[in-house]
Each structure stands twice: as structure tokens, then as C-alpha cells.
Amino acid sequence: MMADLQRQTVALNELDWSDDRFRMSYFRDESHLRSSIGRVGLLHLPLVQVEENGRYRIVSGWRRLMAIRELGWTEVKCSVLPRSADMLEWYRRVLEENLSVRELNLVEKAHVLGCLRGVFRLPEDVVRTEYLPLLGFGRDPLWVARLEKVLEMAPLAQKALAEDRLSWEMIDFLAKLPRADQEAFVDAVLQLGMGKNRQREAALLLSDLSRRIEQSVAEILSGEECRRIVGKQQPAGARQSEFFAWLRRRRYPLFSRLEDAFRQWVRELHLPPNVQIEHSPYFESARGQVVIRFRSAEECEKGVRALAERAASGQLRRLEEFLNPKLQEQI
Amino acid sequence: MYRRFLPEEIWIEKRVANHPFVAEILGRVEAAIPQRFIADIGEEVKKSSVRSGKKVLVLAKQEGKFLKPCPGTQNYVCCGYYFINFATNCDVGCTYCILQGYLNNPYMTVYVNVEDLLAELEKVLSENRSFFYRIGTGELTDSLTLEHLTHYSKKLIPFFLEQPNAVLELKTKTTQVENLLEFHPEGRVVVSWSLNPDELIRTEEPNAPLLAERLEAARRCAETGYLIGFHFDPIIWYPEWREGYRETVRKIFRRIPAEQIVWISLGALRFPREMDRIIRERHSESRLLLAELFPGKDGKFRYFRPLREQMFREMVRWIRGESEKVQIYLCMESPEVWRAAFGENPLQRCGLPRQLDEAAFRCMARLEARPGSVK
């Protein structure tokens, strides 16, 4: 098989840059490679194949070739494959070689799968049993479909996946959305620096809200209030908390309205900080509770007195609204 | 659209292979349907990788007890119901069906040792004559969905007609009532339908008969002398729920004489936490999860309390607008919600089980007093 190979100098303008069927590198920082080639030249030759029209299809070495193009080279020595070469075998060798020296990112793995299915027309079971384990996915058939979805995603989503700033769990969620929604979601995730659990939570809240109010995810996220929160000059953690509070209020408006009214009422009682009044979880039962924390008899007495005063002035009567709440409107 | 369950394969436990009920059931299916003999359905489930189960009919032996009390749910009022576990699983395929997350056996399974079932019932009922039992068969399956294959009702109804201290409730969404029409139940048997407005049937119960079809089946049963029950369970919130449910209530009373309706239950959508994932995975188009649902006192997700109280209040008002007397009860709800729904807590007078027993007695008495009733 190695006899197929010929070493040959190829002009860069003879390379068919539009044919990226075998390309395996995506979303990688080229600056280090570029400066290295600039200093010591190209040690490992790119692999190309002669096309019918006499131009050259890049089989391996996209990053190196892009780097030397940017460095202003006009020609490069390549290993050249004839048109008759067994390209599946060569592709597999290139893949194995790549995997032995670096971890492919998720988008690169998706492109490998896309090539195997789209260019070589391999049946799904062959991909699943022979190639998925090689790519680190076991033999889970769900990954075949999932990686195919990655290739259809908006560039920003692909970049975030490649850089591992977006959880792979978001693939199925994002794949159901139009590209504008994907971009808006990923942009919010990146700006707010959401970890993977938060991404999952945001996806669930947004997809439910979007269906509930019949607005697209992009429309929801482009709202004035949301943009104000995301763009605030505050640490990501604080903006995230505010973002989720805002999102939950929109997703659960009935509960949030009642919760806000309750918190407002408690604030207006001006109770000492060691006295707390709580409603039942989600207002599910008519049982509330009062908690008085104390480290001395005096602190305890203070708490009890404060409550007794509020009771005597009738301020606690409004509790009934929160123990057995009624909806004001017909829902 | 509703289609009767037709198995693509039948598995028969070896220990019941020669049971006459097995031969009876096999006589009603096409001979070409493949049959497989298995040692034990429990073991088969463990080693099987096929999880759909909807098209396999398993004929098995019930090793445990057939009759069980409804487990109820912690901190909510229970009606003291009993159920007969004569079959498990359901082919109707409703999006909200709790069986999706509840059963570890995914196959339609019928327990054929009916003689053990009847002996167990006989023993329990005769030993507790002072206790009145309301017993259903629709807990782990739809009571009538396999009726065309099993004719199970023909074995149960004659038995219950002889029992002084029990009433049988067959709970269904189907229209498979032909076998029932052969009897003169005179109030000893309740046939009940789980109902929803057609908009919801189309989206959340896509394999079930439409409302008019269910009500027509109910009408035929009422005409034959059955007590009729209706279960609005689950009541599902959707933007037009008021119009949908109000019209459904109207349609009931247009088709079925109020004096033959033994009870109407109301239960709002509720499900254990793991069902959220199942519904999202299996029924991604369903709108069930879009309302405001929160964990209740038993950990199950329920509609925000003021919302479901509003729904119950309206339902009670609409039903009361049609009939002052029909027994209405809430399924698995807290005393707070009962109070909100009925304006007072009707359970203070007497407990829910007693109220339902009395409702059954009242209805039976009305049917017996009907001119032309068989004594």
C-alpha cells in the first residue's frame, strides 16, 4: 500500500480547497502550528490525492496546509496518492494516526462519522460496531444520530461543542431548534459561563417556556429584561442567578406571583432577622411555619414579642391568603 | 384511532400450557400467530432485550394475591378501593400513563388461573361479610382492552352478581362492551369510563376511542342495567380546558340518565418524578408538562394547588349544574383541596369510603325500584 505513495512538490494553487470531504481538523487554534512551521519548516508531509481534473484533494494535513498558506508559501512537498488508491483504508489510517497523537473534539468526530456515512456510504451497523468504539463512544447507536445532528448545527454551537464549553447533552435539544435559536441559546450559555448542569436546566426551562407562550427561544432571549441581565457588569455567577430567577418567573408565572407577594408581605412585617415565616413547599399544603432562632432567652423573647406585636396589630391575618391561596383570574 | 389489541406473538408459561383458559384464548386468535412457551414471565423479562412489549401477549399464572388494596398515596385522601390484578399493561398508550414507569414487565400479560382468583375472592368476601368492597380491575390495565381475546368479564360478572358485599367496577376507555350486554347486572356491577375532551383525546390518548364513542358504549351499558361511573382522571390543563371539560360534562348528562351514574371522580394530572423524563422521551409533542407542576406532599408532581383547586371547583359546579345528587369525589387529594373544591370539607360528615359505598347502595336501590327490573 505504501507503494501507492509518491513524494511530489505541489503548488498551493493546485490544491482543491473546496473539497473538504476528508478534513478532520475543526475549531483548532492554528497560531502555534503556524509559528512552529515558520521556525522549523514542515517535518511531516501532507497527504493528497490526484483528482480527475489534475488538481489535488487534501486527505490529511489541513491544518498544516492552511498554516503554510498563511505563511505565504506557494508550494509544498506532499505524499501523493493515485486516483485508484483504496481511500477507505487510507482514511482509516489517517484517523488512527490522528487519534494516536491527539483527542478529536466532538465536531471533528462528527465529521469523521459524516465522512464514513456520506462519502464511503458505510452502513450504520458497521459505523456503530467498528468506528464508534474507536471514537470513544462504545457501541451506543444513539451516538450515530447525535453526531449527525452536530453537523447540522449553527457554527457558534459547533464551536462551543468543539471547545467543550457546551455540553454534549445539549445536542438533542439544540437539534430541534432553528439555527437562530441555537445561536441565541449558545450565546447566552457562553456569556453567562453556564456549567453543564445549568445548561441542562436552562434548556428545559426555555424549551417548555417557548412552547407554552409560543415564542421562539431567540425571541425570549432577545427580550429587553434578559439582555439587561446577561449584559450586566457583574460576575457570571450573579448574572446566572438573576437569569434563572427571571426565567423561572416566566416559566412558572402563577407560582412566582404568589411567591413574590409572600416575600413582599414578609419583608413588610419587618421581623427581626432571627424570625422566619415560611409557607409550605410550593404552597401545596395549608401549613406554614414560624422559625425563631436564638442563642439566649432574651433573643427568644424578642422573637416571640415581635410576632405577638404583629399579631396584635392584625398584620398576620394576611397569612390566610398564602395558606389557602386563590387564583385572582380564570386560568 | 382505536384499534383492538392484536398480538403479533403469544408467550405461554409452560405451567399453564394445558389450562383450559389458555385454549379458550388461543381459540380467539389467528392460528398463524407465533406461540412461544416460556418458563416464567418474570425470568423472561429479565433476560429479554426487547422493551416495547406492546404486541406480545403473555398468558401467565398469577403467583401472588389477585386482590389488593389500592396503595393510595401518603398525605392524600384515599377512597378505600380494592383491585384485582388479573392482567398487567395496557395497549391504549396514553402519554400520561403511569404504567410506563411503574411496571417492569413491558408485555400485555393475562393471568389465566381464574379459578384461583375466584377462590381468593370468595374467601375474602365471605370472611368479611360486614365489610363492603368496591373492587376494580382497571388499576394495572384497562379493564376491557383485552376483552375480545379473554372474555374475562364473563367469568367475573356472574361471580359478583352473587356477592352481597361487593360491587365490581370495570374501568375502561374502550368500547368493548358486547360481552357485558349479555347479563342483567341490576346494579351489582359498575362500568366506568375515563373521560377527557376530544382535543385531549386526540393529543394525549391517540389510540383511544373518542368521547362520543365512549359515551355510546356507556349508554348501551346503562340501558342493560349497569351502574355507570365516570373518571375525569387525569384532568389536564390546557388553554381551552374550561370549554372542553364543560362540554364533556354536558355530553355525559345528555347521554346517560343521572340516576344511573354512581360516581364521578376528579383527579388532576399527577405523576412520579421519573415520569417527566419518560414523557419527554416518548411523547415529545405532548403538552402535558407545560403547565405549572410541582412536587406534592408525596413527591409526585401535581398542578400548582390554586390552579387545580380552580379546576376542581369549576368541575364540581358544572356537574352539580347537571345533577344535584350524583356522587363526586376527588382522587388522591388533600383535605385542603377537598375544602376548596366543595366549599366545605364533605369528608367531615363521613369518610370517603363510606360515602362511595352509600352512593353504590343508593344507585342499586334506584335500579331495583325501576319498573321492569329483574328481581
Side-chain angles (χ1 to χ4, degrees), chain A residues 10 15 46-50 56-59 65 78-81:
Chain A
V10 175
L15 291 173
L47 181 64
V48 297
Q49 184 188 26
V50 187
Y56 295 90
R57 174 183 297 133
I58 303 167
V59 180
L65 289 167
C78 293
S79 298
V80 181
L81 285 167

Side-chain angles (χ1 to χ4, degrees), chain A residues 30-82:
Chain A
E30 314 297 348
S31 59
H32 181 71
L33 180 65
R34 201 164 45 238
S35 61
S36 159
I37 294 173
R39 282 197 308 277
V40 298
L42 201 57
L43 301 179
H44 194 64
L45 302 190
L47 181 64
V48 297
Q49 184 188 26
V50 187
E51 287 181 354
E52 281 176 15
N53 58 12
R55 291 169 69 81
Y56 295 90
R57 174 183 297 133
I58 303 167
V59 180
S60 167
W62 267 91
R63 292 175 64 219
R64 280 165 283 154
L65 289 167
M66 283 198 293
I68 61 173
R69 186 169 64 171
E70 283 172 30
L71 285 167
W73 294 18
T74 56
E75 58 181 29
V76 62
K77 190 162 271 184
C78 293
S79 298
V80 181
L81 285 167

Side-chain angles (χ1 to χ4, degrees), chain A residues 260-270 277 315-319 322:
Chain A
D260 288 347
F262 178 80
R263 295 284 158 224
Q264 178 65 26
W265 171 71
V266 171
R267 268 195 302 276
E268 286 167 3
L269 289 175
H270 299 293
I277 298 185
Q315 284 174 283
L316 295 189
R317 268 182 223 134
R318 228 190 119 193
L319 250 182
F322 302 111

